[in-house]
Amino acid sequence: HQLIKELYWDALTRRVDADHVDEVVHDPKAQSKYDYIYVPPADAVAVKYFKALEQAAAERHREPALKVVLLPAPEKITGEFVRKLDGAHGILSLKLELDASGKPLRGAPYVVPGGRFNELYYWDSYFIVLGLLQDGRKDLARGMADNLIYELDYYGKIPNANRTYYLTRSQPPFLTSVIRAVFESG
């Protein structure tokens, strides 16, 4: 248990931001010509942040190239839309933590359910949050809650995980349980 508390939580922590993009964007489950980050256009801060990241990657000739794509409004994300992404699937952006002036600092942290995953999984997140709170990791539990709320706000649902091929699927509703657990932890 001591190893989990002091080592494994951090080893399983991910962020969708400039410092961690190379870790989270690649998806061995989907073949794509580029590494894609999909961003909701309603989040102007994220659009600006990830477009700047795309430009910086192009300037350093990143391979494969990083492509930022703006998603349509949630009501326009249908099964047909997702099927048309075959060959161009990617990761969905998550919450960015901002400084006092509103400038993005980094992505809100989330914990993945195992070392081979890089996505925030909905169902798993509830149980991960319970473990984090048991181990006193309120910082990570709060990041998980913030990211799930972000998905609901900007994608219109909490998908199975933050990948485009999950945009039309969700899992049992645990969001209120996550929020309550984090809130009650103090």
Side-chain angles (χ1 to χ4, degrees), residues 78-86 89:
T78 63
E80 181 180 348
F81 170 80
V82 172
R83 281 189 298 280
K84 286 182 179 179
L85 292 177
D86 283 348
H89 282 291

Side-chain angles (χ1 to χ4, degrees), residues 51-62 65-66:
K51 284 292 190 179
L53 181 61
E54 176 185 46
Q55 180 63 38
E59 289 171 3
R60 69 176 205 278
H61 306 289
R62 182 187 188 279
L66 183 65

